[in-house]
């Protein structure tokens, strides 16, 4: 009764993910950056695509939908999308909805900020969080459509999930994120350990995901905007979390 998850690269630095229900044989792709690598991964495993779970409307997350739908006639699950950019949607989902991939259950969390339509999928039983461009390992997404307070609220929604939840994010940005985080919290021992681990993984050509949410809570400065050490690290001692988060995000934009 467990999910099997495969991680691979799409486009330049997007992660492709397949979530397979061993019981029913159902398989979901989290987003569809491009069809080729997803079809290759499916063929390698001998799995049939039944669902695409879309997190938000950006082109590097939906570009492969049409070709995958044509090839497999899979179901396309997507957030309510005011811009109607997401093609061929079969099911629109919002906060609190639970969808099935075979017998696997995925809970929908609305996490606006990066885009207004952004959602995350939480497989509680399988301890897997697909956070796309809201929460990266040791980083977070740029705030394109929402506001900084909105993005901070979205991060808090993810931070309350259990420490043993595995984070699968949208992009391989971890090395750059670690470099930035160390400018804010140079004395954070957990972050220093993560920096060494990430350097080792990247040298070996391996992905830096999944990570444990418990480790992110110790190392991800964006999730730690309400920690005094992070406020001090951006010269905002005593400031509120939203102010600190805003400063972090703007500094990262310029880094
Ligand atoms: Zn995006």
């Amino acid at each position: 009764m467990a999910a099997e998850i495969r991680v691979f690269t799409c486009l330049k630095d997007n992660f492709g993910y397949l979530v397979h229900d061993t019981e029913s044989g159902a398989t979901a792709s989290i987003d569809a950056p491009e069809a080729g690598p997803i079809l290759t991964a499916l063929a390698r495993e001998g799995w049939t695509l039944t669902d695409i779970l879309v997190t938000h409307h950006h082109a590097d997350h939906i570009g492969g939908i049409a070709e995958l739908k044509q090839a497999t006639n899979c179901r396309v699950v997507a957030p309510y999308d005011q811009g109607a950019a997401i093609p061929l949607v079969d099911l629109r989902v919002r906060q609190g909805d639970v969808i099935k991939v075979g017998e696997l259950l995925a809970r929908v969390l609305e996490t606006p900020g990066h885009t207004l339509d952004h959602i995350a999928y939480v497989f509680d039983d399988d301890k897997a969080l697909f956070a796309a461009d809201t929460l990266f390992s040791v980083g977070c997404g740029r705030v394109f459509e929402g506001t900084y307070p909105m993005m901070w609220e979205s991060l808090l929604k993810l931070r309350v999930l259990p420490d043993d939840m595995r984070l699968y994010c949208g992009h391989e940005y971890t090395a750059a994120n670690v470099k930035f985080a160390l400018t804010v919290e140079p004395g954070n021992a957990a972050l220093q350990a993560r920096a060494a681990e990430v350097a080792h993984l990247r040298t070996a050509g391996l992905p830096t995901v999944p990570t444990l949410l418990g480790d992110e809570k110790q190392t991800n400065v964006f999730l730690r905007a309400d920690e005094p050490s992070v406020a001090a690290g951006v010269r905002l001692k005593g400031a509120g979390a939203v102010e600190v988060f805003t400063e972090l995000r703007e500094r990262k934009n310029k880094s």
Side-chain angles (χ1 to χ4, degrees):
M1 259 280 287
E4 283 189 43
I5 298 173
R6 296 291 179 270
V7 181
F8 48 96
T9 302
C10 289
L11 302 172
K12 185 165 150 273
D13 52 31
N14 281 70
F15 283 120
Y17 296 117
L18 293 178
V19 182
H20 178 71
D21 176 21
T22 53
E23 203 101 322
S24 69
T27 304
S29 175
I30 309 298
D31 285 325
E34 57 175 336
I38 296 169
L39 290 169
T40 300
L42 287 163
R44 187 168 54 231
E45 301 295 342
W47 295 347
T48 303
L49 191 68
T50 51
D51 301 272
I52 301 172
L53 308 185
V54 181
T55 60
H56 66 297
H57 68 78
H58 280 162
D60 63 324
H61 294 258
I62 65 171
I65 291 175
E67 193 179 335
L68 290 170
K69 179 95 170 161
Q70 169 115 52
T72 66
N73 198 30
C74 61
R75 178 177 68 157
V76 178
V77 179
Y80 286 88
D81 170 29
Q82 289 154 1
I86 304 171
L88 304 169
V89 176
D90 298 297
L91 178 66
R92 300 267 179 195
V93 292
R94 51 183 19 152
Q95 177 73 32
D97 286 352
V98 175
I99 53 156
K100 287 178 98 173
V101 175
E103 296 304 314
L104 305 175
L105 300 179
R107 187 160 57 93
V108 174
L109 293 181
E110 290 179 350
T111 58
H114 176 72
T115 60
L116 291 177
D117 68 341
H118 200 294
I119 59 176
Y121 294 94
V122 187
F123 290 76
D124 289 290
D125 294 342
D126 296 281
K127 301 281 186 193
L129 162 64
F130 294 91
D133 293 1
T134 298
L135 178 64
F136 296 128
S137 180
V138 201
C140 76
R142 280 188 189 244
V143 180
F144 286 122
E145 295 178 6
T147 63
Y148 290 115
M150 183 191 282
M151 186 68 162
W152 172 242
E153 284 302 314
S154 292
L155 291 177
L156 289 180
K157 260 191 198 176
L158 302 181
R159 195 174 72 174
V160 298
L161 295 170
D163 286 357
D164 60 352
M165 182 73 70
R166 283 164 297 151
L167 168 67
Y168 296 87
C169 60
H171 290 269
E172 179 60 89
Y173 291 159
T174 315
N177 290 339
V178 164
K179 192 175 163 206
F180 171 76
L182 281 168
T183 68
V184 179
E185 281 197 295
N188 179 331
L191 177 57
Q192 291 163 355
R194 177 69 172 143
E197 181 190 35
V198 167
H200 174 77
L201 288 169
R202 298 309 293 149
T203 303
L206 296 170
T208 60
V209 295
T211 60
L212 289 175
L213 201 56
D215 291 336
E216 291 299 319
K217 293 174 193 177
Q218 301 297 318
T219 58
N220 189 323
V221 291
F222 295 94
L223 277 186
R224 294 166 57 76
D226 51 358
E227 286 285 334
S229 56
V230 173
V234 292
R235 299 178 179 278
L236 285 173
K237 232 174 181 168
V242 169
E243 195 184 335
V244 174
F245 173 72
T246 302
E247 176 66 17
L248 285 167
R249 192 54 261 179
E250 291 192 342
R251 282 188 185 205
K252 179 67 172 68
N253 291 349
K254 293 176 203 138
S255 74

